[in-house]
Amino acid sequence: MGLKSFLFLLIIFSAFLGLSQENELLNDLDAAINKRKEYESAKLQNIKKIKSRLEQAVTNDYQAYREREKLIDLYKDYNLDSTVYHISKNISTAKRIGYDSLLIKSQLQLASKLSSSGNYKEAFDILENIPKDNLTKANRYTYLYEFSLLYKQMGNYTPLQESSDSYLMQYKTYADSLLDELPRQSDLYKYMLQMRLRDDGKLKESLDINLELLEKLSPDSREYAGLTFFISSIYNSLGNVEKRRAYLAKSATADIKAAVKDNASLADLAVDRFQQGEVEKAHEYINIAFEDAKQYNSKLRFVTIANVLPAINQAYETELQAQKRSLWVSIIVISLMAVLLTLAIIYINKQLKRIVEARRGLEKVNEKLLNTNNELVDLSEELRKTNTIKEHYIGSLLGLSSNYLNKLDGYRKTVTKMLLRKEYDELLKRTKSHDVIKEEQRSFYNNFDNIFLQIYPDFVAQVNSLLREDEQIQIKKDELLTPELRIYALIRLGICDSSKIAELLHYSVNTIYNYRVKLKNKSRGDRDLFEEEVKQIT
């Protein structure tokens, strides 16, 4: 194989593998969508638990602050209004207890939510009024981070180029200050570094850092959702459509599993599906994204979705109308074909009636001949089986009779010898013992089982087929038939009277009756027909 052929096959295989992985990720997303109510219910249950603990901590401001922090963490990507409400509550609590670091922490949280939801003026005012000289290290990192993101978003969304340049310059200043202060091994440092690398056009270096950070995250977490969305945008800048689509699917799946309503990946994926001509799937995705935006109540998300929702919905409606038209055309064509088919059937039936009348007499004669022939075949088979059974019975009976005569003669000789030797006590002991009877009984059962199974080798399997699966009889290693099967073997041979069966098998009549009832109750079908079905076993 030449190098060109090998490279061609490698490209084909890679494309197939990429398509297979993409389909798998989209299938995972659809599976998560089907369970989105369950994920949301789990989050609401956690919210309910924390609210209950919050009510119990009403007299302890510090504890209430901590419980509300947990509540904010659950609400922050689920509902903007609830998030802002509880952050405001924590701000009031921190002011009341005079805890400056907690106050600033809550103010930074509020600025973050306002900034991410497009309320830039309000976020800017909060950040401006935070005393920069009275910050803990953690609060200072957050302060620089939130200011950098605020300026970045303002720079990206303002329509004025001069303002955009100014905002982005401020963003770089705050981002670089944060990078100077952060520990080099911290995740926040790596995250800020990859942002700056991307700003400078170093997309590959930025991507490597993001992929390294991604390995530490759970695929079901909102952090994973956010980072995979960011990675998808890098792949978009690199022109790798397949990777962008794959990471959008991962991001959307993680958003749904984490019940994140403040998301963007599903809307982007809806646009991608729309561009691929999958209008129905795009319509499903964009409507879910719209529901999520409505739940979260962010005007920024509404604006983003509003830009694509009408086009997708219009295309969906157009496709539905086209499908309806196609359906009507199909119905009309099928109706015409049905009319033609009906006319053809009527004509054919008329022709067939003539043929049927001519053949009917012949068929009756053939049917009678066939029935007679079948009856003769059945009778012949029954006679053959009867002769076979008779031969087995006669041979076995002669063997058993001879065997028992030999045993009786042996027993007579033994008794005679013992009388001649005057071994009366031993003789009395032997005649009183039931061991001989038990041994003969076992021998009788064994002989009966062997003879019967020679005639009906599939008897056990056929009886089990009449029983429910969980009630089928298991034959032990050292036995051929169980007592129940032995009773029904006699029934198969035509001995149906319980007293006669009890006499033959040396059981009580009650025991025979109980065994019969017990097996009937395990029947797969009608218990009253069970014994008749056993009699039909061949």
Side-chain angles (χ1 to χ4, degrees):
M1 182 185 292
L3 180 59
K4 290 183 178 179
S5 299
F6 175 76
L7 290 174
F8 177 74
L9 290 175
L10 185 62
I11 291 169
I12 294 296
F13 177 74
S14 299
F16 175 77
L17 190 64
L19 183 61
S20 175
Q21 183 186 27
E22 178 185 318
N23 289 335
E24 184 179 346
L25 290 171
L26 291 173
N27 288 337
D28 289 343
L29 172 59
D30 290 338
I33 287 173
N34 290 333
K35 297 176 66 177
R36 58 196 288 259
K37 295 299 181 185
E38 295 178 30
Y39 299 129
E40 187 171 356
S41 178
K43 171 168 274 193
L44 290 173
Q45 194 63 33
N46 288 334
I47 289 173
K48 184 178 179 181
K49 289 178 182 177
I50 296 173
K51 281 185 175 180
S52 178
R53 293 203 299 266
L54 183 60
E55 289 175 1
Q56 296 171 8
V58 68
T59 58
N60 186 328
D61 283 335
Y62 183 77
Q63 186 180 350
Y65 182 95
R66 291 304 182 192
E67 291 297 338
R68 192 170 275 112
E69 271 195 318
K70 299 172 187 175
L71 201 56
I72 291 166
D73 188 56
L74 289 172
Y75 268 130
K76 70 181 181 182
D77 52 25
Y78 184 75
N79 185 273
L80 178 62
D81 295 337
S82 296
T83 306
V84 171
Y85 170 79
H86 287 288
I87 293 174
S88 300
K89 279 286 196 180
N90 262 1
I91 289 174
S92 299
T93 301
K95 287 179 179 178
R96 187 164 55 252
I97 61 178
Y99 209 141
D100 290 343
S101 64
L102 293 184
L103 173 62
I104 292 171
K105 181 180 180 181
S106 294
Q107 289 173 332
L108 289 169
Q109 286 179 331
L110 183 58
S112 176
K113 295 315 296 178
L114 292 171
S115 173
S116 64
S117 59
N119 298 289
Y120 303 134
K121 174 66 169 60
E122 293 80 357
F124 186 85
D125 290 342
I126 291 171
L127 291 173
E128 273 288 289
N129 289 320
I130 291 176
K132 293 182 284 296
D133 299 329
N134 191 25
L135 297 174
T136 64
K137 185 177 289 187
N139 281 343
R140 176 162 177 78
Y141 293 158
T142 305
Y143 174 82
L144 294 173
Y145 175 74
E146 294 300 340
F147 240 135
S148 67
L149 288 189
L150 175 59
Y151 276 119
K152 185 177 181 63
Q153 290 181 91
M154 290 168 64
N156 288 335
Y157 283 101
T158 181
L160 302 176
Q161 186 60 45
E162 185 177 347
S163 297
S164 176
D165 293 341
S166 174
Y167 292 148
L168 291 177
M169 184 63 70
Q170 290 288 344
Y171 146 69
K172 292 176 182 179
T173 300
Y174 276 99
D176 291 341
S177 297
L178 181 57
L179 282 169
D180 289 339
E181 296 185 25
L182 281 169
R184 295 296 184 266
Q185 297 305 313
S186 68
D187 288 344
L188 182 55
Y189 175 83
K190 293 176 182 177
Y191 184 76
M192 293 303 298
L193 179 60
Q194 63 82 22
M195 285 180 63
R196 293 294 291 115
L197 288 169
R198 187 181 179 188
D199 295 334
D200 294 337
K202 299 177 180 179
L203 300 179
K204 185 63 174 64
E205 293 86 340
S206 174
L207 180 62
D208 290 341
I209 295 174
N210 277 292
L211 293 174
E212 177 189 342
L213 291 171
L214 191 65
E215 291 179 358
K216 303 176 183 180
L217 301 177
S218 167
D220 296 345
S221 67
R222 59 195 177 199
E223 291 80 13
Y224 184 93
L227 194 54
T228 46
F229 179 75
F230 199 78
I231 291 172
S232 74
S233 68
I234 296 176
Y235 276 119
N236 187 50
S237 299
L238 288 169
N240 191 329
V241 178
E242 289 77 14
K243 286 287 187 180
R244 171 184 178 267
R245 189 177 299 136
Y247 277 91
L248 273 179
K250 290 181 180 182
S251 176
T253 303
D255 276 331
I256 290 169
K257 289 183 176 181
V260 172
K261 302 300 180 181
D262 182 24
N263 58 67
S265 50
L266 197 59
D268 281 7
L269 202 57
V271 174
D272 177 80
R273 295 293 86 190
F274 181 65
Q275 292 170 347
Q276 294 297 310
E278 296 183 19
V279 177
E280 186 174 350
K281 188 59 68 176
H283 181 261
E284 179 187 0
Y285 289 170
I286 199 66
N287 277 284
I288 293 172
F290 181 78
E291 289 177 17
D292 287 348
K294 186 177 180 181
Q295 171 68 39
Y296 185 69
N297 196 25
S298 168
K299 293 182 177 60
L300 189 61
R301 291 286 177 230
F302 275 123
V303 170
T304 304
I305 294 171
N307 290 331
V308 295
L309 182 62
I312 293 176
N313 281 343
Q314 181 60 44
Y316 182 70
E317 289 297 327
T318 302
E319 188 173 277
L320 282 181
Q321 292 299 325
Q323 289 176 356
K324 286 180 181 178
R325 286 193 296 272
S326 177
L327 181 61
W328 275 111
V329 170
S330 299
I331 291 172
I332 293 169
V333 171
I334 291 170
S335 299
L336 290 172
M337 290 179 67
V339 170
L340 292 173
L341 182 61
T342 302
L343 294 173
I345 290 171
I346 292 171
Y347 174 77
I348 292 169
N349 279 336
K350 287 181 178 180
Q351 299 300 317
L352 286 175
K353 282 180 181 178
R354 297 174 184 176
I355 298 172
V356 168
E357 290 297 329
R359 291 183 178 178
R360 188 169 293 167
L362 183 60
E363 286 178 355
K364 286 181 180 180
V365 174
N366 287 337
E367 186 178 352
K368 287 180 180 179
L369 288 173
L370 181 62
N371 289 337
T372 303
N373 185 57
N374 288 337
E375 288 173 3
L376 288 172
V377 170
D378 291 342
L379 182 59
S380 175
E381 181 64 19
E382 287 296 323
L383 287 172
R384 188 189 65 78
K385 289 182 179 178
T386 302
N387 289 334
T388 302
I389 292 172
K390 285 180 179 178
E391 289 171 4
H392 274 290
Y393 273 135
I394 291 168
S396 299
L397 181 60
L398 289 173
L400 285 173
S401 298
S402 175
N403 187 38
Y404 279 119
L405 286 172
N406 290 335
K407 285 185 178 181
L408 282 172
D409 187 53
Y411 194 70
R412 180 188 62 78
K413 290 178 180 179
T414 300
V415 170
T416 302
K417 286 179 183 179
M418 293 182 74
L419 287 172
L420 290 173
R421 293 174 186 167
K422 297 181 180 181
E423 296 174 349
Y424 305 126
D425 292 338
E426 179 63 24
L427 180 59
L428 182 62
K429 180 180 178 182
R430 287 194 180 187
T431 56
K432 284 185 176 181
S433 173
H434 293 284
D435 292 343
V436 174
I437 298 300
K438 289 180 180 178
E439 181 60 33
E440 289 303 319
Q441 197 172 23
R442 280 196 296 272
S443 177
F444 171 74
Y445 289 159
N446 189 57
N447 285 329
F448 174 79
D449 294 352
N450 273 304
I451 293 168
F452 183 80
L453 290 175
Q454 286 176 17
I455 300 171
Y456 301 102
D458 298 325
F459 181 74
V460 177
Q462 292 192 49
V463 169
N464 274 333
S465 72
L466 299 175
L467 302 176
R468 296 192 299 273
E469 289 189 13
D470 58 336
E471 297 288 358
Q472 294 188 354
I473 299 171
Q474 301 297 323
I475 302 297
K476 296 180 181 177
K477 187 177 181 181
D478 57 347
E479 67 181 9
L480 298 172
L481 295 176
T482 63
E484 302 104 299
L485 288 172
R486 204 169 286 122
I487 290 167
Y488 275 90
L490 289 172
I491 291 172
R492 173 61 188 88
L493 295 175
I495 303 171
C496 300
D497 183 60
S498 291
S499 59
K500 186 63 179 176
I501 295 172
E503 182 182 341
L504 287 170
L505 297 181
H506 299 280
Y507 291 148
S508 70
V509 175
N510 279 341
T511 300
I512 299 300
Y513 176 77
N514 289 335
Y515 273 131
R516 291 175 77 166
V517 171
K518 181 180 177 182
L519 209 58
K520 281 182 183 181
N521 290 335
K522 296 179 180 180
S523 173
R524 186 191 298 268
D526 188 343
R527 67 184 300 279
D528 295 331
L529 299 176
F530 179 72
E531 290 190 357
E532 289 302 319
E533 292 173 335
V534 171
K535 291 178 184 178
Q536 302 304 318
I537 289 176
T538 59

